[in-house]
Amino acid sequence: MGRFDDMEKRELQIIQTIGEDGEEVSLKLLDVVTVGDFDYALLLPVDEDLDNEECEVILMRLKQNTSEYVFETIEDDEEFNMVSEAILEEEGYEDIEEE
């Protein structure tokens, strides 16, 4: 059983962020994982369904700014690959395929 199997059964937190095109995007917060000294969020667009094999989970770095969290795009390929590999090795994520 994968870590995401019960996601549709629970109410997920919805966050609002600004997409690459400058428009507001609504995302479901699936999980937060810690790799090294940073926290990373696994997000899914609200109109996507985890049952769809072609859904894209978005990975963003979390940074705390005073009392709120800011979601940052991971620009560095080396950091992105390191975090992706760490997530794939974590228990419960074994059913996620790398692209």
Side-chain angles (χ1 to χ4, degrees):
M1 179 158 88
R3 192 167 183 153
F4 293 132
D5 288 348
D6 69 342
M7 289 294 176
E8 295 302 321
K9 296 176 189 163
R10 355 184 231 132
E11 190 171 321
L12 300 175
Q13 182 177 354
I14 305 296
I15 62 144
Q16 307 293 323
T17 189
I18 304 300
E20 292 176 356
D21 58 4
E23 298 215 5
E24 190 172 272
V25 179
S26 296
L27 302 166
K28 296 181 235 182
L29 178 60
L30 301 175
D31 203 356
V32 174
V33 296
T34 302
V35 178
D37 295 331
F38 295 100
D39 291 329
Y40 296 89
L42 295 165
L43 305 157
L44 184 71
V46 292
D47 57 349
E48 294 257 350
D49 186 359
L50 283 171
D51 292 332
N52 180 356
E53 290 183 20
E54 295 183 22
C55 73
E56 287 188 37
V57 174
I58 299 166
L59 177 62
M60 296 185 87
R61 185 184 319 111
L62 275 174
K63 184 176 182 181
Q64 189 163 8
N65 240 0
T66 59
S67 64
E68 64 182 26
Y69 283 96
V70 176
F71 293 83
E72 298 179 335
T73 302
I74 303 170
E75 301 289 342
D76 181 50
D77 288 341
E78 187 175 317
E79 178 184 5
F80 184 87
N81 291 333
M82 177 192 70
V83 174
S84 297
E85 287 176 25
I87 290 170
L88 290 170
E89 290 173 3
E90 193 167 312
E91 182 179 335
Y93 290 114
E94 60 272 352
D95 60 342
I96 301 174
E97 293 182 24
E98 287 188 77
E99 292 187 26

Short mmCIF file of all heavy atoms in Angstrom, two decimals, residues 23-74:
data_model
loop_
_atom_site.label_atom_id
_atom_site.label_comp_id
_atom_site.label_asym_id
_atom_site.label_seq_id
_atom_site.Cartn_x
_atom_site.Cartn_y
_atom_site.Cartn_z
N GLU A 23 -0.60 33.83 -12.74
CA GLU A 23 -1.97 33.64 -12.28
C GLU A 23 -1.99 32.82 -11.00
O GLU A 23 -1.10 32.00 -10.76
CB GLU A 23 -2.79 32.93 -13.37
CG GLU A 23 -2.87 33.75 -14.63
CD GLU A 23 -4.20 33.60 -15.32
OE1 GLU A 23 -5.09 32.94 -14.78
OE2 GLU A 23 -4.32 34.16 -16.41
N GLU A 24 -3.02 33.03 -10.18
CA GLU A 24 -3.16 32.29 -8.94
C GLU A 24 -3.51 30.83 -9.24
O GLU A 24 -4.33 30.54 -10.10
CB GLU A 24 -4.25 32.91 -8.08
CG GLU A 24 -4.28 32.34 -6.68
CD GLU A 24 -5.22 33.09 -5.78
OE1 GLU A 24 -4.77 34.08 -5.16
OE2 GLU A 24 -6.39 32.69 -5.70
N VAL A 25 -2.85 29.92 -8.51
CA VAL A 25 -3.04 28.49 -8.68
C VAL A 25 -3.43 27.89 -7.34
O VAL A 25 -2.84 28.22 -6.32
CB VAL A 25 -1.73 27.82 -9.19
CG1 VAL A 25 -1.90 26.33 -9.34
CG2 VAL A 25 -1.27 28.45 -10.48
N SER A 26 -4.43 27.00 -7.33
CA SER A 26 -4.83 26.30 -6.12
C SER A 26 -4.23 24.90 -6.14
O SER A 26 -4.36 24.17 -7.12
CB SER A 26 -6.35 26.20 -6.04
OG SER A 26 -6.92 27.47 -5.94
N LEU A 27 -3.56 24.53 -5.03
CA LEU A 27 -2.89 23.23 -4.93
C LEU A 27 -3.29 22.53 -3.63
O LEU A 27 -3.48 23.18 -2.61
CB LEU A 27 -1.37 23.43 -4.94
CG LEU A 27 -0.78 24.14 -6.15
CD1 LEU A 27 0.66 24.55 -5.87
CD2 LEU A 27 -0.84 23.24 -7.36
N LYS A 28 -3.38 21.19 -3.70
CA LYS A 28 -3.61 20.38 -2.51
C LYS A 28 -2.25 20.03 -1.91
O LYS A 28 -1.36 19.57 -2.62
CB LYS A 28 -4.33 19.08 -2.86
CG LYS A 28 -5.71 19.25 -3.41
CD LYS A 28 -6.29 17.87 -3.69
CE LYS A 28 -6.75 17.78 -5.11
NZ LYS A 28 -7.37 16.49 -5.44
N LEU A 29 -2.11 20.25 -0.61
CA LEU A 29 -0.89 19.89 0.09
C LEU A 29 -0.98 18.41 0.47
O LEU A 29 -1.76 18.02 1.33
CB LEU A 29 -0.70 20.75 1.34
CG LEU A 29 0.52 20.46 2.19
CD1 LEU A 29 1.81 20.65 1.39
CD2 LEU A 29 0.52 21.32 3.43
N LEU A 30 -0.20 17.56 -0.21
CA LEU A 30 -0.23 16.12 0.03
C LEU A 30 0.61 15.71 1.22
O LEU A 30 0.21 14.87 2.03
CB LEU A 30 0.26 15.37 -1.21
CG LEU A 30 -0.51 15.58 -2.50
CD1 LEU A 30 0.19 14.86 -3.64
CD2 LEU A 30 -1.94 15.12 -2.35
N ASP A 31 1.80 16.31 1.33
CA ASP A 31 2.71 15.91 2.39
C ASP A 31 3.83 16.93 2.49
O ASP A 31 4.09 17.68 1.54
CB ASP A 31 3.29 14.52 2.08
CG ASP A 31 3.80 13.78 3.30
OD1 ASP A 31 3.78 14.35 4.42
OD2 ASP A 31 4.22 12.63 3.15
N VAL A 32 4.51 16.92 3.63
CA VAL A 32 5.72 17.71 3.83
C VAL A 32 6.80 16.75 4.29
O VAL A 32 6.58 15.95 5.21
CB VAL A 32 5.51 18.83 4.87
CG1 VAL A 32 6.82 19.55 5.16
CG2 VAL A 32 4.45 19.82 4.41
N VAL A 33 7.93 16.77 3.60
CA VAL A 33 9.05 15.90 3.96
C VAL A 33 10.28 16.75 4.24
O VAL A 33 10.44 17.83 3.66
CB VAL A 33 9.36 14.86 2.85
CG1 VAL A 33 8.20 13.91 2.65
CG2 VAL A 33 9.70 15.54 1.55
N THR A 34 11.13 16.25 5.13
CA THR A 34 12.37 16.95 5.46
C THR A 34 13.53 16.19 4.83
O THR A 34 13.65 14.99 5.00
CB THR A 34 12.56 17.04 6.98
OG1 THR A 34 11.43 17.72 7.54
CG2 THR A 34 13.81 17.80 7.33
N VAL A 35 14.34 16.93 4.08
CA VAL A 35 15.55 16.37 3.47
C VAL A 35 16.67 17.34 3.81
O VAL A 35 16.61 18.51 3.45
CB VAL A 35 15.41 16.20 1.95
CG1 VAL A 35 16.70 15.66 1.35
CG2 VAL A 35 14.24 15.30 1.60
N GLY A 36 17.66 16.83 4.52
CA GLY A 36 18.74 17.72 4.96
C GLY A 36 18.20 18.74 5.94
O GLY A 36 17.49 18.41 6.89
N ASP A 37 18.48 20.01 5.68
CA ASP A 37 18.06 21.09 6.57
C ASP A 37 16.78 21.77 6.12
O ASP A 37 16.37 22.78 6.72
CB ASP A 37 19.17 22.15 6.67
CG ASP A 37 20.42 21.60 7.33
OD1 ASP A 37 20.30 20.68 8.16
OD2 ASP A 37 21.52 22.10 7.01
N PHE A 38 16.14 21.28 5.06
CA PHE A 38 14.98 21.96 4.51
C PHE A 38 13.74 21.06 4.50
O PHE A 38 13.84 19.84 4.45
CB PHE A 38 15.26 22.41 3.06
CG PHE A 38 16.33 23.45 2.96
CD1 PHE A 38 17.62 23.09 2.60
CD2 PHE A 38 16.07 24.78 3.23
CE1 PHE A 38 18.62 24.04 2.50
CE2 PHE A 38 17.06 25.74 3.15
CZ PHE A 38 18.35 25.37 2.78
N ASP A 39 12.58 21.71 4.53
CA ASP A 39 11.31 21.02 4.36
C ASP A 39 10.85 21.22 2.93
O ASP A 39 11.05 22.31 2.35
CB ASP A 39 10.25 21.57 5.31
CG ASP A 39 10.53 21.23 6.77
OD1 ASP A 39 11.12 20.17 7.02
OD2 ASP A 39 10.15 22.02 7.64
N TYR A 40 10.22 20.19 2.36
CA TYR A 40 9.73 20.25 0.99
C TYR A 40 8.27 19.81 0.97
O TYR A 40 7.89 18.87 1.68
CB TYR A 40 10.56 19.34 0.08
CG TYR A 40 12.00 19.80 -0.02
CD1 TYR A 40 12.95 19.35 0.89
CD2 TYR A 40 12.39 20.70 -1.00
CE1 TYR A 40 14.27 19.78 0.81
CE2 TYR A 40 13.70 21.14 -1.07
CZ TYR A 40 14.64 20.68 -0.17
OH TYR A 40 15.93 21.12 -0.24
N ALA A 41 7.47 20.47 0.17
CA ALA A 41 6.05 20.16 0.06
C ALA A 41 5.78 19.39 -1.22
O ALA A 41 6.32 19.73 -2.28
CB ALA A 41 5.24 21.46 0.06
N LEU A 42 4.94 18.36 -1.09
CA LEU A 42 4.44 17.63 -2.25
C LEU A 42 3.03 18.15 -2.50
O LEU A 42 2.17 18.06 -1.62
CB LEU A 42 4.42 16.13 -1.97
CG LEU A 42 5.79 15.50 -1.74
CD1 LEU A 42 5.65 14.12 -1.12
CD2 LEU A 42 6.53 15.41 -3.04
N LEU A 43 2.82 18.72 -3.67
CA LEU A 43 1.56 19.39 -4.00
C LEU A 43 0.94 18.81 -5.26
O LEU A 43 1.64 18.30 -6.13
CB LEU A 43 1.84 20.89 -4.21
CG LEU A 43 2.54 21.60 -3.05
CD1 LEU A 43 3.25 22.84 -3.54
CD2 LEU A 43 1.54 21.93 -1.97
N LEU A 44 -0.38 18.94 -5.35
CA LEU A 44 -1.12 18.46 -6.50
C LEU A 44 -2.15 19.52 -6.89
O LEU A 44 -2.87 20.01 -6.02
CB LEU A 44 -1.83 17.14 -6.16
CG LEU A 44 -2.57 16.44 -7.27
CD1 LEU A 44 -1.58 15.84 -8.28
CD2 LEU A 44 -3.46 15.34 -6.71
N PRO A 45 -2.22 19.92 -8.17
CA PRO A 45 -3.26 20.87 -8.58
C PRO A 45 -4.65 20.35 -8.16
O PRO A 45 -4.91 19.15 -8.23
CB PRO A 45 -3.13 20.92 -10.10
CG PRO A 45 -1.70 20.54 -10.36
CD PRO A 45 -1.36 19.52 -9.30
N VAL A 46 -5.53 21.25 -7.70
CA VAL A 46 -6.83 20.81 -7.18
C VAL A 46 -7.67 20.10 -8.22
O VAL A 46 -8.50 19.27 -7.87
CB VAL A 46 -7.64 21.98 -6.57
CG1 VAL A 46 -6.99 22.49 -5.31
CG2 VAL A 46 -7.86 23.09 -7.56
N ASP A 47 -7.45 20.36 -9.49
CA ASP A 47 -8.24 19.71 -10.53
C ASP A 47 -7.66 18.37 -10.97
O ASP A 47 -8.20 17.70 -11.83
CB ASP A 47 -8.44 20.62 -11.73
CG ASP A 47 -7.13 21.09 -12.34
OD1 ASP A 47 -6.07 20.89 -11.72
OD2 ASP A 47 -7.17 21.67 -13.43
N GLU A 48 -6.54 17.94 -10.35
CA GLU A 48 -5.92 16.65 -10.66
C GLU A 48 -6.40 15.61 -9.65
O GLU A 48 -6.76 15.92 -8.53
CB GLU A 48 -4.40 16.75 -10.59
CG GLU A 48 -3.80 17.63 -11.66
CD GLU A 48 -3.17 16.86 -12.79
OE1 GLU A 48 -3.02 15.63 -12.69
OE2 GLU A 48 -2.80 17.50 -13.77
N ASP A 49 -6.35 14.35 -10.05
CA ASP A 49 -6.76 13.24 -9.21
C ASP A 49 -5.61 12.26 -9.10
O ASP A 49 -4.99 11.90 -10.10
CB ASP A 49 -7.99 12.56 -9.86
CG ASP A 49 -8.59 11.48 -9.00
OD1 ASP A 49 -8.06 11.21 -7.89
OD2 ASP A 49 -9.60 10.90 -9.43
N LEU A 50 -5.30 11.82 -7.88
CA LEU A 50 -4.20 10.88 -7.68
C LEU A 50 -4.41 9.55 -8.38
O LEU A 50 -3.47 8.81 -8.63
CB LEU A 50 -3.96 10.64 -6.19
CG LEU A 50 -3.22 11.75 -5.47
CD1 LEU A 50 -3.24 11.50 -3.97
CD2 LEU A 50 -1.80 11.87 -5.97
N ASP A 51 -5.66 9.22 -8.68
CA ASP A 51 -5.94 7.97 -9.38
C ASP A 51 -5.51 8.03 -10.85
O ASP A 51 -5.33 7.01 -11.49
CB ASP A 51 -7.44 7.63 -9.32
CG ASP A 51 -7.86 7.29 -7.89
OD1 ASP A 51 -7.01 6.79 -7.13
OD2 ASP A 51 -9.03 7.51 -7.56
N ASN A 52 -5.35 9.23 -11.38
CA ASN A 52 -4.92 9.42 -12.76
C ASN A 52 -3.41 9.16 -12.84
O ASN A 52 -2.62 9.82 -12.19
CB ASN A 52 -5.24 10.86 -13.21
CG ASN A 52 -4.82 11.15 -14.62
OD1 ASN A 52 -4.20 10.32 -15.30
ND2 ASN A 52 -5.14 12.33 -15.08
N GLU A 53 -3.02 8.19 -13.65
CA GLU A 53 -1.60 7.83 -13.76
C GLU A 53 -0.74 8.95 -14.31
O GLU A 53 0.47 8.95 -14.14
CB GLU A 53 -1.45 6.59 -14.64
CG GLU A 53 -1.97 5.34 -13.98
CD GLU A 53 -1.74 4.10 -14.83
OE1 GLU A 53 -0.87 4.14 -15.72
OE2 GLU A 53 -2.46 3.12 -14.60
N GLU A 54 -1.34 9.93 -14.98
CA GLU A 54 -0.57 11.01 -15.58
C GLU A 54 -0.57 12.27 -14.74
O GLU A 54 -0.12 13.32 -15.20
CB GLU A 54 -1.12 11.30 -16.98
CG GLU A 54 -0.92 10.14 -17.93
CD GLU A 54 -1.38 10.45 -19.33
OE1 GLU A 54 -1.47 11.64 -19.70
OE2 GLU A 54 -1.66 9.50 -20.08
N CYS A 55 -1.05 12.20 -13.49
CA CYS A 55 -1.06 13.40 -12.65
C CYS A 55 0.38 13.76 -12.28
O CYS A 55 1.25 12.90 -12.18
CB CYS A 55 -1.91 13.21 -11.40
SG CYS A 55 -1.21 12.14 -10.15
N GLU A 56 0.62 15.05 -12.14
CA GLU A 56 1.96 15.53 -11.82
C GLU A 56 1.98 16.09 -10.41
O GLU A 56 1.30 17.07 -10.12
CB GLU A 56 2.39 16.63 -12.80
CG GLU A 56 2.71 16.11 -14.17
CD GLU A 56 3.33 17.19 -15.05
OE1 GLU A 56 4.11 18.01 -14.54
OE2 GLU A 56 3.01 17.18 -16.24
N VAL A 57 2.76 15.47 -9.53
CA VAL A 57 2.95 15.99 -8.19
C VAL A 57 4.05 17.04 -8.27
O VAL A 57 5.08 16.83 -8.90
CB VAL A 57 3.33 14.86 -7.22
CG1 VAL A 57 3.67 15.41 -5.84
CG2 VAL A 57 2.20 13.85 -7.12
N ILE A 58 3.80 18.17 -7.64
CA ILE A 58 4.74 19.29 -7.68
C ILE A 58 5.55 19.29 -6.39
O ILE A 58 5.01 19.11 -5.31
CB ILE A 58 3.96 20.62 -7.82
CG1 ILE A 58 3.16 20.60 -9.13
CG2 ILE A 58 4.90 21.81 -7.75
CD1 ILE A 58 2.11 21.68 -9.21
N LEU A 59 6.84 19.50 -6.52
CA LEU A 59 7.75 19.52 -5.39
C LEU A 59 8.26 20.95 -5.22
O LEU A 59 8.81 21.53 -6.15
CB LEU A 59 8.91 18.56 -5.65
CG LEU A 59 10.02 18.48 -4.62
CD1 LEU A 59 9.47 17.99 -3.28
CD2 LEU A 59 11.12 17.54 -5.11
N MET A 60 8.05 21.52 -4.01
CA MET A 60 8.51 22.88 -3.74
C MET A 60 9.20 22.92 -2.38
O MET A 60 8.84 22.16 -1.47
CB MET A 60 7.35 23.86 -3.76
CG MET A 60 6.69 23.97 -5.12
SD MET A 60 5.41 25.24 -5.15
CE MET A 60 6.42 26.66 -5.54
N ARG A 61 10.16 23.82 -2.23
CA ARG A 61 10.85 24.03 -0.95
C ARG A 61 9.97 24.93 -0.08
O ARG A 61 9.36 25.87 -0.57
CB ARG A 61 12.20 24.71 -1.18
CG ARG A 61 13.02 24.86 0.09
CD ARG A 61 14.33 25.61 -0.10
NE ARG A 61 15.05 25.30 -1.31
CZ ARG A 61 15.19 26.16 -2.34
NH1 ARG A 61 14.65 27.35 -2.29
NH2 ARG A 61 15.88 25.82 -3.39
N LEU A 62 9.93 24.62 1.21
CA LEU A 62 9.19 25.43 2.18
C LEU A 62 10.18 26.29 2.94
O LEU A 62 11.20 25.82 3.41
CB LEU A 62 8.47 24.54 3.18
CG LEU A 62 7.12 24.02 2.79
CD1 LEU A 62 6.63 23.03 3.84
CD2 LEU A 62 6.11 25.12 2.63
N LYS A 63 9.86 27.57 3.07
CA LYS A 63 10.70 28.48 3.82
C LYS A 63 9.79 29.26 4.76
O LYS A 63 8.75 29.76 4.32
CB LYS A 63 11.44 29.42 2.87
CG LYS A 63 12.40 30.35 3.54
CD LYS A 63 13.15 31.17 2.51
CE LYS A 63 14.16 32.07 3.17
NZ LYS A 63 14.87 32.89 2.19
N GLN A 64 10.16 29.33 6.04
CA GLN A 64 9.32 30.07 6.98
C GLN A 64 9.74 31.53 6.98
O GLN A 64 10.89 31.87 7.18
CB GLN A 64 9.41 29.48 8.38
CG GLN A 64 8.38 30.08 9.29
CD GLN A 64 8.15 29.26 10.54
OE1 GLN A 64 8.86 28.30 10.80
NE2 GLN A 64 7.15 29.63 11.31
N ASN A 65 8.75 32.38 6.75
CA ASN A 65 8.92 33.83 6.75
C ASN A 65 8.08 34.37 7.89
O ASN A 65 6.86 34.36 7.80
CB ASN A 65 8.42 34.41 5.42
CG ASN A 65 9.48 35.14 4.66
OD1 ASN A 65 10.60 35.24 5.11
ND2 ASN A 65 9.11 35.65 3.51
N THR A 66 8.69 34.79 8.96
CA THR A 66 7.99 35.21 10.18
C THR A 66 6.98 34.15 10.59
O THR A 66 7.36 33.06 10.97
CB THR A 66 7.34 36.61 10.03
OG1 THR A 66 6.41 36.59 8.96
CG2 THR A 66 8.37 37.69 9.81
N SER A 67 5.69 34.41 10.49
CA SER A 67 4.68 33.45 10.97
C SER A 67 4.03 32.66 9.84
O SER A 67 3.11 31.89 10.07
CB SER A 67 3.60 34.19 11.74
OG SER A 67 2.92 35.08 10.88
N GLU A 68 4.48 32.83 8.61
CA GLU A 68 3.87 32.09 7.50
C GLU A 68 4.94 31.36 6.69
O GLU A 68 6.12 31.67 6.77
CB GLU A 68 3.07 33.02 6.59
CG GLU A 68 3.91 34.07 5.90
CD GLU A 68 3.08 35.02 5.04
OE1 GLU A 68 1.90 35.20 5.33
OE2 GLU A 68 3.65 35.55 4.09
N TYR A 69 4.48 30.37 5.95
CA TYR A 69 5.38 29.61 5.08
C TYR A 69 5.29 30.13 3.66
O TYR A 69 4.23 30.50 3.18
CB TYR A 69 5.02 28.12 5.09
CG TYR A 69 5.50 27.43 6.33
CD1 TYR A 69 4.64 27.24 7.41
CD2 TYR A 69 6.80 26.96 6.43
CE1 TYR A 69 5.08 26.60 8.56
CE2 TYR A 69 7.25 26.32 7.57
CZ TYR A 69 6.38 26.14 8.62
OH TYR A 69 6.82 25.51 9.75
N VAL A 70 6.43 30.13 3.00
CA VAL A 70 6.52 30.53 1.59
C VAL A 70 6.95 29.30 0.81
O VAL A 70 7.86 28.57 1.22
CB VAL A 70 7.56 31.67 1.42
CG1 VAL A 70 7.73 32.03 -0.04
CG2 VAL A 70 7.17 32.89 2.24
N PHE A 71 6.27 29.04 -0.31
CA PHE A 71 6.61 27.92 -1.18
C PHE A 71 7.52 28.44 -2.27
O PHE A 71 7.17 29.36 -2.99
CB PHE A 71 5.34 27.32 -1.78
CG PHE A 71 4.46 26.66 -0.76
CD1 PHE A 71 3.57 27.39 0.00
CD2 PHE A 71 4.54 25.29 -0.55
CE1 PHE A 71 2.76 26.79 0.95
CE2 PHE A 71 3.75 24.67 0.40
CZ PHE A 71 2.86 25.43 1.15
N GLU A 72 8.71 27.86 -2.38
CA GLU A 72 9.70 28.30 -3.36
C GLU A 72 9.94 27.22 -4.41
O GLU A 72 10.04 26.04 -4.07
CB GLU A 72 11.04 28.61 -2.68
CG GLU A 72 10.98 29.73 -1.68
CD GLU A 72 12.33 29.98 -1.01
OE1 GLU A 72 13.17 29.04 -0.95
OE2 GLU A 72 12.54 31.10 -0.54
N THR A 73 10.07 27.63 -5.64
CA THR A 73 10.44 26.71 -6.72
C THR A 73 11.89 26.29 -6.52
O THR A 73 12.73 27.10 -6.14
CB THR A 73 10.29 27.41 -8.09
OG1 THR A 73 8.94 27.86 -8.21
CG2 THR A 73 10.62 26.48 -9.22
N ILE A 74 12.17 25.03 -6.77
CA ILE A 74 13.54 24.52 -6.67
C ILE A 74 14.19 24.72 -8.04
O ILE A 74 13.86 24.02 -8.99
CB ILE A 74 13.56 23.04 -6.26
CG1 ILE A 74 12.82 22.86 -4.94
CG2 ILE A 74 14.99 22.53 -6.18
CD1 ILE A 74 12.58 21.42 -4.57
#
